[in-house]
Structure formats: structure tokens, C-alpha cells
Amino acid sequence: MTLNIGVIGTGAIGREHIRRCSQVLQNARVVALNDINRANCEQILTDLALKAEIYDNAHDLINAPDVQAVLVTSWGPTHEEFVLAAIKAGKAVFCEKPLAVTAQGCMNIVEAEIASGKKRVQVGFMRPYDSGYRALKSVIDSGDIGEPLMLHCAHRNPEVGDAYTTDMAITDTLIHELDVLRWLLKDDYVSAQVIYPRKTRKASSHLKDPQIVLLETAKGVRIDVEIFVNCAYGYDIQCEVVGETGIASLPEPMSVQTRSAAKLSTGILTDWKKRFIDAYDVELQDFINNVLSDNMTGPSAWDGYAAAVAADACVAAQNNGEIVPITMPPRPAFYQ
Ligand code: NAD
């Protein structure tokens, strides 16, 4: 069986996902493309030697009879409209993060999906598909380090452009930790606080960098996440779990160790795209398999909503300097 996919938004990640679905993954083919910039679609057809129909209207693509599933990889503010349209059309939809730019927008999707009576949405949170995070979760779940008590995490980028603003440290950067740490701990957040250490001279005048986000979970686990997006030295993701009887750390990406010029060294990645490249393959293959077997198990619309609620609280905490409560309604039985 082959899943026919239509892609809305053929920019950076859209293009990568189209390449994956056409050249790397199994049981999928891209049959339809849409972008407000039609030239992007035409370029992809040429570059990837792909045969797919270009639609000038995203809703026509969603409703096309040969499109069985939709990939939404356009800009964040457009996601809610396209995901809701896919649900209405009865089609499975993989939506890149964010599911919607507001928690209310995510809730609109949750409600529409529940009303449709069937799970159709997967959110593009790829870290739960990363082999390192999966290995870390296995150790936690095995009980080998006892119950987790504290997490020390870091999300560091070598640099960001001038367009990167202080709130993007939450909505673009921390959002991945907000998703994966919930999944890792099987827990929900109850409060957030943001503190600002001394600012690096490498950040734009308008950007507060670094930042430390302090989260508390319902089980009482305390999490600190350092976000440092002009750290200069590399793209570095850290996660250390301190349990009752031991400590487990996220494995470092594989890197050859060298002894040279009186130094022992291993490389550190600098490009974020390479850090989770395998995880993107696994998450999309999972989406394809799940749609074909009619059993959606990936990050759900509820997970997209939970991340959005936590992100809103973190942005409020950035602005008021206080400990901001994170309040989630009970998880609907539909998402148990
Ligand atoms: P991009 O700007 O490179 O591409 C977005 C594309 O969407 C552009 O080609 C644009 O013309 C198109 N577009 C915008 N509005 C549209 C509309 N109404 N209809 C059709 N097409 C439209 O951006 P990107 O870096 O590819 O990011 C796209 C989304 O993917 C964002 O939400 C981003 O947060 C997410 N993303 C996720 C990850 C991840 O790690 N999971 C990584 C990168 C990007």
C-alpha cells in the first residue's frame, strides 16, 4: 500500500520532508504541492525529478480525491486553518510545530478532532523519535536510577539572526523541550519561571540571551533549561536526569575522537538540521505507517495543545518575572 501525500508549504522543512517521502521512506509518494510562492513548488519538481500536481489553493489540495494525507509545513500562523480543513475533509494530517500559534487555536483542533470521532492529527515534534532520547527514556522507565527528581537541560545554538526575538527562545526553541520532557517523564507542568543571567555581548541589542527556564511538574520534578542561542561554540542539546539512585544523560551524537596536535578532541555539531536528521525520518515513517494501519500513535493534537499552554505560561513568566501557574484541563479520554 502506498500513501498519497499532499504538501502545503514547500520552504525549508517542506522541501526536506518531500525529499524524505519521495526518496528515503517507504510506502509514500508525494502527489500534490501547494505554496503561496508557486515557484518554490516548481523548483522542487525539477530538483527532485518529482511528478506531482501543483495547486494554487491549499484547500483544493486538501480536498483533492487522490490526496489521502496532508503535510502542513507552511508558516506557523497558517497551520490551524489547514489542519482544521484536513480534519473536515476526513484526511490524516501531519502538522509541523506549532500546531497553532495560540493555545486556543490548538484547542480548536482538539475539539474538531474529537468531534470527528477519529484521530487524524500528528504534530511534528521529532525528539520523541530520536534514538538518544528513546534510550534515555528506556533507562528512566527501567527504574535503574529510581524516580526522576530533577532535570538539568540546555538548548544552545551557535548564533541566531537579528529577527530572533526574546519570546522566540520559548516559542521556537524551548518548545521542543516542552514537548519531549513531558513525554520523557510522563508528567505535566504546573508552573514556570524565567530568569535572565548576565547577557552575552554576542546577542542583538533587543534579545535577552541566555535565559534559564525553571519548570515544575505535577509529580514535583524540578527542571532547569538553559536556552543560549548565541553560545558561539556549536549546536548542543543536553539533558541530564537526576534520579533517586543515579543519573542518566542524553547520549552525545556520534563523533570520531581524535588525538592530534597535543589535544584529545571530539567534534560538536554546529547545524541544528543535522542533530535530529534521523529522527525526522523515523517520525514521518511512523506517520505514514500509522495512517496506513489506521492507528495514530505519534505526538497528538493534545500534545500540541499541552506544549502551547506551557509556552504561553513561559512567555508570561519572561515578561513578569514571576512564577506563573500552568493549568491544563483534564486529558480527554479520546487522547488516553
Ligand atoms: P520557510 O519559510 O522556509 O517555509 C515556509 C513555506 O510556507 C514558504 O515557502 C512559504 O511561501 C509557505 N507558505 C506560507 N504561507 C503559506 C500559505 N498560506 N499557503 C501555502 N504556503 C504558505 O519555513 P520553514 O523553516 O520551512 O518552517 C515551516 C514550519 O516548520 C514552521 O512552522 C516551523 O516552525 C516548522 N519547523 C519545524 C522544525 C522542527 O524541528 N520540527 C524545523 C524547521 C521548521
Side-chain angles (χ1 to χ4, degrees):
M1 255 196 310
T2 302
L3 185 70
N4 288 340
I5 296 176
V7 181
I8 302 172
T10 54
I13 196 129
R15 184 190 176 91
E16 273 298 290
H17 286 342
I18 293 164
R19 178 192 59 76
R20 276 191 181 91
C21 291
S22 324
Q23 299 179 355
V24 181
L25 307 182
Q26 295 189 334
N27 303 328
R29 94 182 126 225
V30 175
V31 297
L33 303 179
N34 161 263
D35 196 291
I36 42 166
N37 183 357
R38 188 183 168 96
N40 280 356
C41 300
E42 286 162 354
Q43 190 68 49
I44 285 175
L45 293 189
T46 309
D47 292 352
L48 300 181
L50 185 71
K51 283 200 178 71
E53 175 107 20
I54 299 178
Y55 288 82
D56 286 325
N57 183 308
H59 291 273
D60 290 343
L61 175 147
I62 292 167
N63 291 306
D66 65 331
V67 169
Q68 295 170 288
V70 180
L71 250 58
V72 178
T73 47
S74 45
W75 292 325
T78 67
H79 292 182
E80 181 184 348
E81 174 191 338
F82 297 145
V83 173
L84 286 173
I87 294 171
K88 193 168 171 208
K91 300 201 177 167
V93 53
F94 176 95
C95 180
E96 260 311 332
K97 60 91 187 160
L99 179 59
V101 287
T102 62
Q104 183 56 53
C106 294
M107 184 46 95
N108 295 341
I109 291 170
V110 163
E111 286 172 354
E113 192 180 37
I114 293 174
S116 82
K118 189 171 166 183
K119 275 198 200 161
R120 293 190 167 86
V121 180
Q122 179 170 330
V123 184
F125 285 128
M126 73 297 181
R127 287 204 195 171
Y129 291 99
D130 173 63
S131 55
Y133 274 109
R134 287 186 166 203
L136 181 58
K137 186 170 171 60
S138 299
V139 171
I140 296 171
D141 291 350
S142 73
D144 282 355
I145 61 164
E147 289 295 325
L149 309 174
M150 295 177 277
L151 268 63
H152 306 299
C153 309
H155 190 144
R156 305 191 187 111
N157 295 58
E159 59 183 351
V160 291
D162 259 3
Y164 189 100
T165 50
T166 297
D167 60 324
M168 286 167 74
I170 307 296
T171 56
D172 263 41
T173 303
L174 182 78
I175 195 82
H176 286 293
E177 270 78 16
L178 289 176
D179 175 67
V180 78
L181 302 182
R182 252 183 96 241
W183 167 83
L184 202 59
L185 295 172
K186 288 188 249 168
D187 205 350
D188 271 314
Y189 308 116
V190 295
S191 75
Q193 183 183 10
V194 178
I195 53 179
Y196 300 105
R198 182 180 180 187
K199 177 176 163 167
T200 170
R201 290 172 298 165
K202 294 190 175 298
S204 314
S205 57
H206 61 78
L207 177 63
K208 291 183 176 166
D209 185 41
Q211 306 180 25
I212 298 172
V213 178
L214 302 172
L215 297 160
E216 185 184 2
T217 74
K219 291 178 192 160
V221 177
R222 294 287 184 157
I223 302 169
D224 54 88
V225 187
E226 171 201 312
I227 306 162
F228 187 10
V229 293
N230 288 284
C231 77
Y233 73 86
Y235 182 72
D236 195 8
I237 302 298
Q238 299 289 325
C239 180
E240 182 185 85
V241 181
V242 180
E244 293 168 298
T245 58
I247 292 176
S249 298
L250 182 68
E252 294 289 338
M254 197 167 70
S255 167
V256 173
Q257 197 180 59
T258 56
R259 286 171 162 79
S260 173
K263 284 201 178 88
L264 173 63
S265 47
T266 50
I268 294 178
L269 291 172
T270 53
D271 183 352
W272 63 266
K273 288 187 217 78
K274 294 193 178 146
R275 176 64 180 83
F276 293 107
I277 194 156
D278 296 334
Y280 290 119
D281 288 347
V282 183
E283 74 165 349
L284 264 186
Q285 186 66 65
D286 193 53
F287 172 72
I288 293 160
N289 296 349
N290 287 344
V291 177
L292 289 173
S293 63
D294 207 12
N295 179 26
M296 303 293 283
T297 58
S300 66
W302 184 255
D303 295 320
Y305 170 70
V309 169
D312 283 355
C314 291
V315 172
Q318 278 185 324
N319 294 326
N320 67 16
E322 293 175 7
I323 298 172
V324 175
I326 301 176
T327 315
M328 287 277 290
R331 184 193 286 259
F334 187 83
Y335 294 106
Q336 297 294 353

